[in-house]
Amino acid sequence: AQSVTQLDSHVSVSEGTPVLLRCNYSSSYSPSLFWYVQHPNKGLQLLLKYTSAATLVKGINGFEAEFKKSETSFHLTKPSAHMSDAAEYFCVVSESGAGSYQLTFGKGTKLSVIP
Amino acid sequence: DVKVTQSSRYLVKRTGEKVFLECVQDMDHENMFWYRQDPGLGLRLIYFSYDVKMKEKGDIPEGYSVSREKKERFSLILESASTNQTSMYLCASSLFRLANTGELFFGEGSRLTVL
């Protein structure tokens, strides 16, 4: 069975400072991992994905994430927060070859950006 | 751009009423999904469909049914709405099996309140 844990339900940063959103996963197979973003009153949008290629993955809007198998982590980072980054972020896992139609979502981390 | 349209953004219904939530996608995607989103719980899969007239139960199908008569349209039905079904409902579609790409395209959601 697969699962994902987002370690912080809420993160607050000042504009221009780094962002770190933490995610740990559990998977019986080789996982694919994703980050989605949801802006207020909007649907979710794919931010970036890891599917067993390069362990450092770059996404949209300057975000990136590093897959660390030894730590079972897939933390999301950005060097400098912008006001438009304020949103909820979801870490997601999918197991290759098992339940291929299903993704397991974390409970979300709400990012606040202080001017 | 892929567009997933949920016809009703906000609904208020009475306990026991039958509720239809409609979702249409315009990119000829094979797979469509209904999720429920609740604060602190993330997204939970209700039902999904990988082809016309085909449906599969997700993690929380109880109290819900679905219909997919045309490829572009996927309906979620609450036969007898209850207060514990008050939630945000998100429709999504995908072209490929999720383990490969993980990319779901989401609608903006339907916020249902059951009184």
Side-chain angles (χ1 to χ4, degrees):
Chain A
Q2 59 196 29
S3 66
V4 62
T5 302
Q6 292 184 243
L7 297 166
D8 305 293
S9 59
H10 189 214
V11 170
S12 185
V13 301
S14 297
E15 190 175 18
T17 64
V19 176
L20 170 64
L21 305 183
R22 299 181 295 164
C23 172
N24 287 110
Y25 70 91
S26 172
S27 174
S28 303
Y29 299 91
S30 300
S32 294
L33 292 156
F34 315 90
W35 278 96
Y36 277 79
V37 60
Q38 184 180 32
H39 288 95
N41 299 313
K42 296 290 186 183
L44 280 74
Q45 178 186 15
L46 182 66
L47 201 56
L48 51 78
K49 62 185 178 185
Y50 165 79
T51 54
S52 77
T55 57
L56 183 63
V57 180
K58 295 186 185 300
I60 60 174
N61 300 331
F63 283 94
E64 62 181 38
E66 187 171 7
F67 173 69
K68 292 186 176 180
K69 188 174 181 179
S70 60
E71 298 177 10
T72 61
S73 69
F74 190 58
H75 301 333
L76 181 70
T77 61
K78 183 174 180 177
S80 175
H82 191 272
M83 293 299 294
S84 61
D85 295 328
E88 190 159 20
Y89 293 79
F90 293 92
C91 184
V92 184
V93 64
S94 174
E95 288 185 341
S96 176
S100 296
Y101 290 106
Q102 296 200 28
L103 302 177
T104 298
F105 285 77
K107 295 183 179 181
T109 298
K110 190 162 288 188
L111 175 65
S112 298
V113 181
I114 304 164
Chain B
D1 279 352
V2 175
K3 192 162 179 67
V4 178
T5 304
Q6 295 183 233
S7 54
S8 303
R9 293 295 307 274
Y10 301 94
L11 304 93
V12 179
K13 298 292 182 180
R14 299 268 179 210
T15 300
E17 280 192 82
K18 191 168 186 175
V19 181
F20 291 87
L21 300 180
E22 304 286 342
C23 175
V24 177
Q25 50 95 1
D26 66 356
M27 284 300 292
D28 204 34
H29 283 176
E30 301 290 333
N31 311 306
M32 296 189 74
F33 307 80
W34 275 106
Y35 286 90
R36 172 176 172 160
Q37 182 179 16
D38 298 289
L41 295 180
L43 274 71
R44 293 178 291 168
L45 182 64
I46 304 171
Y47 268 97
F48 64 99
S49 168
Y50 53 86
D51 201 354
V52 175
K53 297 192 184 296
M54 305 301 288
K55 61 184 179 183
E56 294 285 345
K57 293 180 180 179
D59 299 318
I60 51 165
E62 296 79 18
Y64 304 95
S65 62
V66 290
S67 172
R68 193 163 180 207
E69 296 296 318
K70 293 185 178 181
K71 190 175 186 179
E72 68 271 19
R73 188 179 298 270
F74 192 36
S75 303
L76 180 68
I77 304 154
L78 288 67
E79 293 288 344
S80 177
S82 63
T83 55
N84 62 13
Q85 293 179 309
T86 292
S87 187
M88 171 70 88
Y89 291 88
L90 292 168
C91 175
S93 71
S94 75
L95 180 59
F96 300 110
R97 284 182 170 233
L98 298 181
N100 293 335
T101 73
E103 185 154 22
L104 287 170
F105 295 87
F106 282 87
E108 294 195 328
S110 297
R111 185 169 294 281
L112 171 67
T113 301
V114 183
L115 303 176

